[in-house]
Amino acid sequence: MARYVANRLAQAIMLLVIVSAIGFAILHLAPGGPLSQFAVSGQMTQEDLDRVTRQLGLDRPLPIQYLDWFGRMLKGDWGKSYRDGEAVLSVISSHLGATLELMATATIIAVLLGCWIGILGALRRYSVFDTLATVGAMIALSIPTFWFGLVTIYVFSVKLGWLPAGNRQTIGDGSFLDLLHHLIAPAMVLALVETAMWGRFMRSSMLEVINQDYIRTARAKGMPEWRILTVHGLRNALLPMITVAGLQFPTLLGGALVAETVFTWPGMGRLFLDSIGYRDYPVVMGILMFSATMVLIGSLLADILYAVVDPRIRVG
Amino acid sequence: MADDTGRFGVGAVHLGVPNRRQFFQLGVGAAAGWSLAGSAFAQTERPTSPPDKPRGQVIAALSQEPTVFHPLMPGIEVDQGIWWQVFSPLWYIDPDGNFVPDLAREVPTLENGGLSADGLTWKIKLRSDVKWHDGTPFTAEDVKFSIELINNPGFRARSRVGHSLVKDITVVAPDEIHWRMEAPYSPYMSILASFTFIVPKHILEKVSDPNASPFHNAPVGTGPFRWGERVPGDHIQLNAHTGYHGKGPYVERVVFKYIPDLTVLYTQFRTGQVDYTGLAGILPNFVQEAKTLKGRKIFVSSTSSVEHIAPNLDFGPFTDRAVREALYLGINKQAIIDALYYGLPTQTESFVPQQAWSFQQGLPQHKYDPAKANALLDAAGWVRGSSGIREKGGVKLEFTNSTTAGSAVREQCQQLLIQDWRAIGATMRVNNMPAAVIWGDFWQQSKFNSVIVGVNFMLGSDPDVTPRFGSGAIPAKGGRGYNTYQYQNAEADRLLSQGAKQFDLAQRKATYGELQKLIRNDLAILPLFQSFIAEGIKEGLQGFRPNINMSINSWNMREWYWA
């Protein structure tokens, strides 16, 4: 196992280097730059722009800039944001909490609800519930997150006045209940697609398991149905879900990107969009590296966990 | 300005003539419906006096996030919204165009001896009762330090225009500073008023890197509000500075809330989560509905920005003035204003806002006249081909037009332009790009054919447009300004040079009047309209005064209070 983990880590590091080089190249080769926003404002002349470009080191050849950035990153210096001069790690960490809060809540909702729907759908295959769940999942997967977010705001904030129309908290309040109140709408919106996905995966996985010979054997032995389902059925059906969970990070981050914009949630998704817009290269690269690391870690953990819970699988 | 005597005094403090704004404020222009008069009425509707002590808070929503808090570094309008609360300039420009002393005791003029007759020596008397937020007294040393910092080669200063001319700064006393200008430069008065906030020497002289220090994210100023907290990506809170040297502040704190999506921003204003919709304001399509909201007031006011089509004057067909004139005649401007902007903006023919003292009345008015446009092109030798597109000497009358991708109204405007211009035998193709792309080299190095853009041509309230229209300011030809139109005219250069050296406002008005005529005649830009902003505030919030001379209308939050 240790050798397997070491191998996977080595591969992950190689991948990260490749991701960083490709990301850096694409980002810098794309037209525009961090000073574009000042060009049209009329407060900076071309001379001013050229001077600041030199001061930021953006006039150097791209490979030199990359090596400089990479070298500093290896020493733990991820650079400073062009927008506010803050250290990139500090910028990321100041937004991470909000995103994790949103993603964790959405994931909990999605896993619980999705698994329940999936299991019930599998057990009552082709029932009214199953049909409704299938149609509902298709709709949920088809609805763009931003549209669902706007409709949620319109219905629950503008029309009914039950939920705030965005933000993470009421400024000056910040109590737990206030936080929870603000969390409901974005978490539900973000959880929608996830729930549908978990539901579909779970249904399919459960269907495969309950038709296995060992389930029939258990029934023949007179084992109680609840025990068959929980001990033999659910346990085995959940195995493929580990992989799903391990690869959820990019999907969730993508959803958060939209949900955070619609609900003015001060998280990583919005930071990423803003940073792209401003061409804040150090922050974009920081988020890219952070996300890539999270995806690789998620994938690695899923593989290891799979091996741990399923004795049939051997790694190394 | 023309004062009571009708004389334009050298260094006169008041820069405004009784202009359209004042005309409207008298109520005469109320029929216009949406004028700046709204602000004046708001102040008189419910006459209340501000509280003795700061009370309550104001949540101002912004569609961009302020991130630059050092007021001398590169920043945009949204950052200035913070700077005006935390810092103070030597003087500022009020909504009527007056220079009003802030850190200075008086605005330097020839009459009070603050300016020498040749405009080269400046003597500034400063207030002696001003304290920084940390309690340290403000002195002339801070002013000297600020100007020297801007000119420090290692400092990432936003701009050195005007400042680089300042030499021999002498601190005569803690409350008096003198300097000499290398050359007379009258727009410097406006630069000091609009873009030059004074920073604390006692803090910044100790930092090793002037471009990065704790001050950059927790600034200390002399303004009406002191730094509170910043939650990145969410909000910035400023608290009342009770020792402020001027009027106010009357609210305990102001919170700048970042809401990137304008529809969501408006929704939060509707649901009462924000008190003021700042910066980009309310989208035109929501304005009518917003006016019906209970407990809300909507102000639609002009801005200094002129929405226009920027032709690249070095690009094939646009080198021919007849083409530019025909294209201009072929635009149904009023249809664009009515259909896309709900009739809110006003047509203009100048790069100078109509409320400015330097605005030239009587410029030739645009008329939508496709027949005349066709005749003009026929006479100029642009012949229609079999496809209906005109051609001259092998050059087709076709070009691209670009604007920021996602700017829905401008994108719709492009569709109307395509139709309008097809009728006169010109083909326009759309080539839009994200903001970071279009306003980079594409714009700066004049790589475009034509662009739809809104530009504030003024230098604060000053009409000096040397960097915009000077022939030495074309970046694509090695120039140092932002004359991306590539406009070159020797007479314009002469007028620009002359205007920048003049201190007599009557003379300056005449000079810049001639320049406006010239640029209108040359059609260096095809103006669509003078831009506007629709802003909403909660009823009961007093003191809001739109200021066309500022880049952001939250400039005077110190005077805001709840009735």
Side-chain angles (χ1 to χ4, degrees), chain A residues 236-312:
Chain A
N236 286 301
L238 278 173
L239 276 177
M241 305 309 283
I242 292 171
T243 313
V244 175
L247 298 174
Q248 278 299 292
F249 186 80
T251 318
L252 267 170
L253 199 65
L257 206 113
V258 178
E260 287 177 4
T261 301
V262 173
F263 289 97
T264 48
W265 196 264
M268 291 265 288
R270 231 174 66 188
L271 173 70
F272 187 64
L273 276 183
D274 286 351
S275 304
I276 290 269
Y278 281 90
R279 295 289 192 274
D280 192 347
Y281 298 146
V283 176
V284 176
M285 284 307 295
I287 297 174
L288 184 70
M289 296 310 290
F290 177 81
S291 308
T293 307
M294 288 296 107
V295 171
L296 290 170
I297 289 175
S299 161
L300 181 61
L301 282 179
D303 285 351
I304 293 170
L305 206 60
Y306 212 102
V308 169
V309 296
D310 189 347
R312 292 169 300 183

Side-chain angles (χ1 to χ4, degrees), chain B residues 232-273:
Chain B
D234 192 64
H235 73 269
I236 290 162
Q237 182 181 310
L238 306 177
N239 301 320
H241 171 41
T242 45
Y244 179 58
H245 57 276
K247 276 206 301 186
Y250 302 126
V251 289
E252 277 177 284
R253 59 192 162 268
V254 291
V255 177
F256 290 93
K257 171 79 188 142
Y258 169 45
I259 305 175
D261 187 283
L262 283 173
T263 303
V264 178
L265 191 152
Y266 171 64
T267 306
Q268 293 203 15
F269 174 65
R270 225 181 117 156
T271 55
Q273 285 171 275

Side-chain angles (χ1 to χ4, degrees), chain B residues 14 93 147 169 176 178 185 212 220 347 355 401 502 533 551:
Chain B
H14 193 289
I93 310 165
I147 296 174
I169 307 176
E176 188 164 348
H178 297 178
Y185 185 58
V220 174
Q347 289 201 30
Q355 292 78 5
N401 181 269
Q502 290 172 324
I533 181 167
S551 48

Side-chain angles (χ1 to χ4, degrees), chain A residues 82-245:
Chain A
Y82 290 155
R83 294 172 66 201
D84 60 11
E86 280 278 303
V88 168
L89 282 177
S90 161
V91 173
I92 290 175
S93 66
S94 66
H95 288 73
L96 190 59
T99 295
L100 288 182
E101 180 186 316
L102 187 59
M103 282 168 62
T105 312
T107 304
I108 290 169
I109 294 170
V111 170
L112 293 179
L113 208 61
C115 286
W116 178 73
I117 292 170
I119 292 166
L120 215 60
L123 295 179
R124 300 180 186 171
R125 200 176 178 190
Y126 304 134
S127 66
V128 175
F129 176 84
D130 187 35
T131 310
L132 284 177
T134 305
V135 172
M138 289 304 121
I139 293 172
L141 288 168
S142 317
I143 291 178
T145 307
F146 78 90
W147 185 86
F148 187 57
L150 288 175
V151 169
T152 304
I153 290 175
Y154 182 74
V155 174
F156 293 101
S157 306
V158 176
K159 286 291 163 193
L160 298 172
W162 292 353
L163 297 172
N167 306 335
R168 195 182 177 196
Q169 58 178 296
T170 306
I171 293 163
D173 186 332
S175 63
F176 177 71
L177 278 179
D178 182 61
L179 288 171
L180 203 61
H181 195 208
H182 284 81
L183 185 58
I184 295 171
M188 291 298 288
V189 167
L190 187 57
L192 183 78
V193 174
E194 296 300 307
T195 305
M197 279 172 58
W198 278 87
R200 299 313 293 162
F201 279 126
M202 194 66 209
R203 181 181 181 277
S204 151
S205 180
M206 196 69 183
L207 275 175
E208 198 179 316
V209 168
I210 57 176
N211 289 320
Q212 293 291 321
D213 290 343
Y214 60 85
I215 295 287
R216 269 196 295 275
T217 309
R219 279 206 181 100
K221 281 163 68 181
M223 191 179 276
E225 193 65 22
W226 66 268
R227 196 170 155 77
I228 295 171
L229 284 177
T230 50
V231 175
H232 297 294
L234 192 56
R235 208 169 153 187
N236 286 301
L238 278 173
L239 276 177
M241 305 309 283
I242 292 171
T243 313
V244 175

Side-chain angles (χ1 to χ4, degrees), chain B residues 345-510:
Chain B
T346 41
Q347 289 201 30
T348 191
E349 301 297 335
S350 172
F351 59 87
V352 172
Q354 295 166 37
Q355 292 78 5
W357 62 269
S358 50
F359 177 69
Q360 176 63 39
Q361 301 281 355
L363 293 173
Q365 292 299 297
H366 167 269
K367 193 179 164 208
Y368 172 51
D369 192 343
K372 191 173 172 187
N374 273 315
L376 200 64
L377 288 170
D378 288 340
W382 289 89
V383 181
R384 276 187 194 265
S386 53
S387 60
I389 305 305
R390 291 179 183 274
E391 206 174 313
K392 181 181 176 182
V395 178
K396 282 193 170 174
L397 187 44
E398 59 183 5
F399 52 89
T400 60
N401 181 269
S402 309
T403 196
T404 312
S407 175
V409 186
R410 282 188 183 150
E411 286 172 348
Q412 289 165 13
C413 179
Q414 288 175 320
Q415 295 308 313
L416 294 184
L417 289 173
I418 287 172
Q419 284 179 35
D420 285 346
W421 285 340
R422 190 180 294 146
I424 62 169
T427 291
M428 180 190 118
R429 288 189 310 279
V430 171
N431 179 28
N432 295 341
M433 329 175 169
V437 179
I438 187 170
W439 307 121
D441 274 1
F442 183 74
W443 169 252
Q444 279 297 103
Q445 296 298 323
S446 304
K447 293 177 180 170
F448 57 91
N449 292 174
S450 70
V451 160
I452 299 183
V453 61
V455 167
N456 177 3
F457 290 90
M458 307 292 278
L459 210 52
S461 66
D462 199 278
D464 178 40
V465 281
T466 309
R468 289 276 180 207
F469 295 120
S471 58
I474 304 171
K477 292 176 179 164
R480 304 197 295 183
Y482 27 86
N483 180 357
T484 51
Y485 314 101
Q486 307 207 59
Y487 177 65
Q488 287 177 291
N489 184 312
E491 176 60 7
D493 286 342
R494 188 190 68 76
L495 290 167
L496 285 167
S497 168
Q498 178 177 293
K501 288 178 192 154
Q502 290 172 324
F503 282 81
D504 182 295
L505 285 189
Q507 288 177 5
R508 292 198 80 203
K509 184 170 166 55

